[in-house]
Amino acid sequence: MEIKSAEFVMSNSDVEKCPKNALPEYAFIGRSNVGKSSLINMLTSRKSLAKTSGKPGKTQLINHFIINKNWYLVDLPGYGYARVSKSSKKTFQKFITEYFSKREQLVSAFVLVDIRHKPQPIDLEFMAWMGENNIPFSIIFTKADKLKPQAIERHIEDYRNIMLETWFEMPNYFVTSSSKNIGKDDVLNYISDINQNIN
C-alpha cells in the first residue's frame, strides 16, 4: 500500500464523538515510551503526523487520522508508566476500554511491544484482556534495530512460549524499526489486504 494522504481529523475523549462514517479503523496502542508516535510517522511517511516526545504518556486522547481518504489510523493513549495523576490515568484508561468495547468501525488493533525487553506483565495482561473481549489484534514489536537477529528471535520465542500457556496460538505479529523503516510494508500490506476483503 502506498500512503498518498494522511490527515489529522480529531482528538477527543468521548467514543460517541468519534467520526460517524463507516470507514474501517485500525487502532495503535502500547505501553508508554514504546515508540508509537515514531511508528505512526514511519508508516505514513510523515515526520510529525503523530507528536513524538521524550516524555512518556503524551498521547492522552483518541486521535483519528484519515489515510488515503478511505481508512482511519487511530492513535490511542499508552498504558502504564505515564507520569500523570492517578485520576487522569483512570479517565483515559476508561475511554480506551470504551473505545474497544463500543467502536463498531474498529477492524483490528495493533498492540506495540518493545522487542528489547523480556515479556512484560503489563503487555501480557493487556493482550489477555483483548483476547477475552474478542478484539482482533496483531502485535507490533518495535525498536528491532536495537537487537541482533538472534536476540529478536529469542525474545519473540519468549513471548510465544508464555502466550501459548493460555492462548490457542500466538497472535499475528510484525517486527519493526521506525528509524530503519523495517516492517513498514508488512504492516501496510496487511491493512490493505483486510480493506480489500471488507470492500
Side-chain angles (χ1 to χ4, degrees):
M1 178 200 302
E2 180 185 355
I3 292 190
K4 297 176 180 176
S5 66
E7 301 166 27
F8 172 75
V9 177
M10 65 168 61
S11 294
N12 69 80
S13 59
D14 186 350
V15 178
E16 304 300 330
K17 294 178 182 176
C18 289
K20 302 299 183 190
N21 57 42
L23 294 179
E25 293 185 1
Y26 298 85
F28 289 73
I29 189 168
R31 183 160 43 87
S32 299
N33 211 25
V34 75
K36 178 163 54 71
S37 297
S38 296
L39 179 86
I40 289 171
N41 292 337
M42 185 263 284
L43 292 175
T44 58
S45 299
R46 307 294 192 277
K47 287 186 177 179
S48 57
L49 188 72
K51 298 291 188 287
T52 57
S53 171
K55 293 181 179 178
K58 291 297 285 185
T59 304
Q60 295 181 18
L61 295 168
I62 303 168
N63 297 301
H64 275 76
F65 302 90
I66 190 163
I67 310 297
N68 290 348
K69 309 290 186 188
N70 63 7
W71 59 277
Y72 286 110
L73 185 158
V74 184
D75 181 9
L76 293 172
Y79 51 82
Y81 303 135
R83 291 180 182 174
V84 295
S85 68
K86 285 186 178 179
S87 60
S88 295
K89 192 175 292 186
K90 191 174 290 185
T91 297
F92 67 73
Q93 287 181 344
K94 177 176 180 286
F95 65 72
I96 289 172
T97 304
E98 287 188 345
Y99 174 85
F100 283 121
S101 61
K102 295 181 179 179
R103 192 66 177 157
E104 294 180 359
Q105 291 90 332
L106 177 68
V107 174
S108 184
F110 294 98
V111 178
L112 278 61
V113 173
D114 190 331
I115 191 67
R116 298 175 300 173
H117 305 304
K118 295 285 186 179
Q120 301 292 305
I122 190 168
D123 294 319
L124 295 168
E125 287 166 11
F126 183 76
M127 289 188 280
W129 181 85
M130 297 282 276
E132 288 161 5
N133 287 275
N134 297 313
I135 298 160
F137 74 93
S138 296
I139 302 170
I140 292 184
F141 291 106
T142 64
K143 307 186 181 184
D145 59 294
K146 307 294 186 184
L147 292 179
K148 293 181 178 175
Q150 299 94 322
I152 290 173
E153 286 302 317
R154 194 164 60 247
H155 285 198
I156 292 173
E157 192 61 24
D158 288 340
Y159 267 92
R160 181 179 286 110
N161 290 338
I162 288 178
M163 296 188 81
L164 289 182
E165 291 175 6
T166 52
W167 291 72
F168 178 70
E169 61 183 355
M170 171 86 169
N172 183 47
Y173 68 87
F174 301 91
V175 176
T176 69
S177 164
S178 299
S179 61
K180 303 290 186 183
N181 260 19
I182 296 170
K184 176 178 180 177
D185 289 342
D186 293 335
V187 175
L188 291 179
N189 289 339
Y190 176 77
I191 293 172
S192 178
D193 289 345
I194 295 176
N195 283 343
Q196 286 176 359
N197 290 331
I198 292 172
N199 301 329

